[in-house]
Amino acid sequence: MWLRVAGLSFGGPAGQIAMMQRILVEEKRWLSPNRFLHALNYCMLLPGPEAQQLATYSGWLLHRTAGGLVAGSLFVLPGFLSILLLSVLYAGFGETALVAAIFFGLKPAVLAIVVEALLRIAKQALGSASRRLLAAGAFVAIFFFDVPFPWIILAAALVGWLGGRLGVAGLRTAPPEGSDDEAGVASTERPPLLRTVRVAALWLAVWWLPLLALWLALGPESVYLCEGLFFSKASVATFGGAYAVLAYVAQRAVEDFGWLRPGEMLDGLGMAETTPGPLIQVVQFVGFMGAYRNPGALDPMLAGVLGSLVTTWVTFAPCFLWIFLGAPYIEWLRGWRTLTDALSAITAAVVGVILNLAVWFALHTLFGRVEDFAAGPLRFLRPDLASLDPGAAVIAALAFGSLLALRWGMFRTLGLCVAAGLLWLRAFVCGIA
């Protein structure tokens, strides 16, 4: 069954979560709607990819640790193999005119997909003026003042918790309804302390021992260790799922490390959008290209594969730690309304974080030059209006029209935009071999 879930995992986290809800709750009836939503709210609180964590949590609810391992691993495997193949092709042929034209059309389409996902999530999460205010505050904090993600999430959780206790309109969630007596789910008893310590020690070792081996074998300056440490930091410092993680990764990988150019991050996101598995798998492309361009003594392709493996490992190993360590406590606290209030406030703040990502992608897709503007505490990106790319703007308009006005599916829209990119470059820029 989890292979089916993985094979159908297209369309980003919103589509993946909807697909899991349909299979696990509606078709199989393995989990009640309330149990599924409770698990989802916890996964939204965690750093990293919420869809993969939700799959792991669901597997754990049904079959404890073995179920979580199978569900979480199979959810990643198809996307890992697909992105690895596409990364090899991109590194080997990415400079050809044909490949460049394909990705020229994909980038504006990806921008439209991100915005559409933002609108879907906002419709579900921002049902009150208070939550809309939380989302707006999160966007202002991250875009204009560069406030770190963890502080935004902690502030939102505090607002939700206090607002729920004080009965603030729009921040108090409704009490749970319905039965939670489905078979096979975990106990709601308080987890033993010894079990907690044992799980934490095991999964911290799984996470960090490979990095220690890289340090001993290749030294502290290797790009593989650098990627392992960077994406380990990303796995604990970024909250709100894939879109929030990508905002952090894109800015640091492009601006600080120089592993990618801004346009290449959008190329990688286009790959992740069109392959099964979690959207966060785009970091595998970042790791591949970073190592490919800094191979050391290794063959560049082999270096890229190793960078891809390291990045994937440190991105998803922490997810198992968060679920196996925290899920027993979340089940024990199920029904505690103040916890649900805090989780719901975090979901609202995440909408503002996703809006920041959409703006970042829009600026780098539509404009050739984007610069940092700083004045006192203010710091934001400012485009050079004269560098507007008319081709990207036209294709973006096509993508928005097909997705939002014509209600086309993702693959049909991507196909339209790729064809438009090929035609535009052939007609206005150069011939395509």
Side-chain angles (χ1 to χ4, degrees), residues 10 29 42-43 80 164 202 262 326 342 375 386 392 404 406 421 428:
F10 291 91
R29 300 186 183 276
Y42 172 61
C43 293
F80 170 78
L202 172 62
L404 302 179
L406 300 178
F428 296 103

Side-chain angles (χ1 to χ4, degrees), residues 234-305:
S235 70
V236 299
T238 53
F239 292 80
Y243 288 112
V245 174
L246 293 180
Y248 175 82
V249 169
Q251 292 173 350
R252 298 300 180 265
V254 173
E255 298 170 8
D256 295 350
F257 296 103
W259 292 333
L260 299 178
R261 294 182 288 273
E264 289 183 330
M265 187 66 190
L266 291 171
D267 293 343
L269 187 57
M271 294 180 190
E273 286 281 9
T274 54
T275 54
L279 187 63
I280 192 59
Q281 201 70 51
V282 66
V283 300
Q284 177 189 347
F285 169 75
V286 178
F288 183 99
M289 296 303 298
Y292 176 82
R293 289 172 173 155
N294 303 274
L298 297 180
D299 174 79
M301 281 297 180
L302 181 59
V305 172

Side-chain angles (χ1 to χ4, degrees), residues 103-360:
F103 281 99
F104 178 77
L106 275 179
K107 292 173 190 177
V110 169
L111 171 62
I113 290 170
V114 171
V115 172
E116 186 199 30
L118 170 64
L119 294 175
R120 288 199 308 264
I121 296 171
K123 184 177 180 180
Q124 297 173 357
L126 306 183
S128 68
S130 299
R131 293 183 183 178
R132 289 191 289 271
L133 186 61
L134 268 175
F139 172 76
V140 170
I142 193 171
F143 185 81
F144 289 103
F145 296 96
D146 201 24
V147 176
F149 294 126
W151 291 113
I152 293 174
I153 298 303
L154 288 174
L158 180 61
V159 169
W161 179 74
L162 287 175
R165 288 184 64 87
L166 296 175
V168 175
L171 293 179
R172 188 75 185 271
T173 56
E177 300 177 357
S179 173
D180 289 318
D181 59 355
E182 63 267 37
V185 299
S187 169
T188 57
E189 296 178 358
R190 180 173 182 172
L193 179 60
L194 180 60
R195 179 224 174 254
T196 301
V197 173
R198 186 171 63 247
V199 169
L202 172 62
W203 284 99
L204 284 171
V206 169
W207 179 1
W208 287 101
L209 284 180
L211 296 184
L212 177 61
L214 284 173
W215 180 73
L216 293 174
L218 302 175
E221 302 300 324
S222 74
V223 66
Y224 315 104
L225 182 62
C226 182
E227 289 180 340
L229 294 175
F230 169 71
F231 287 107
S232 291
K233 179 182 177 182
S235 70
V236 299
T238 53
F239 292 80
Y243 288 112
V245 174
L246 293 180
Y248 175 82
V249 169
Q251 292 173 350
R252 298 300 180 265
V254 173
E255 298 170 8
D256 295 350
F257 296 103
W259 292 333
L260 299 178
R261 294 182 288 273
E264 289 183 330
M265 187 66 190
L266 291 171
D267 293 343
L269 187 57
M271 294 180 190
E273 286 281 9
T274 54
T275 54
L279 187 63
I280 192 59
Q281 201 70 51
V282 66
V283 300
Q284 177 189 347
F285 169 75
V286 178
F288 183 99
M289 296 303 298
Y292 176 82
R293 289 172 173 155
N294 303 274
L298 297 180
D299 174 79
M301 281 297 180
L302 181 59
V305 172
L306 179 57
S308 186
L309 287 168
V310 170
T311 301
T312 301
W313 185 269
V314 300
T315 297
F316 292 105
C319 297
F320 292 102
L321 170 64
W322 312 142
I323 298 301
F324 294 147
L325 188 64
Y329 288 95
I330 295 300
E331 290 299 303
W332 174 53
L333 294 171
R334 188 164 46 90
W336 185 31
R337 184 187 286 186
T338 52
L339 174 63
T340 304
D341 294 337
L343 295 178
S344 298
I346 288 171
T347 302
V350 163
V351 175
V353 175
I354 297 173
L355 177 58
N356 170 69
L357 172 67
V359 172
W360 191 92

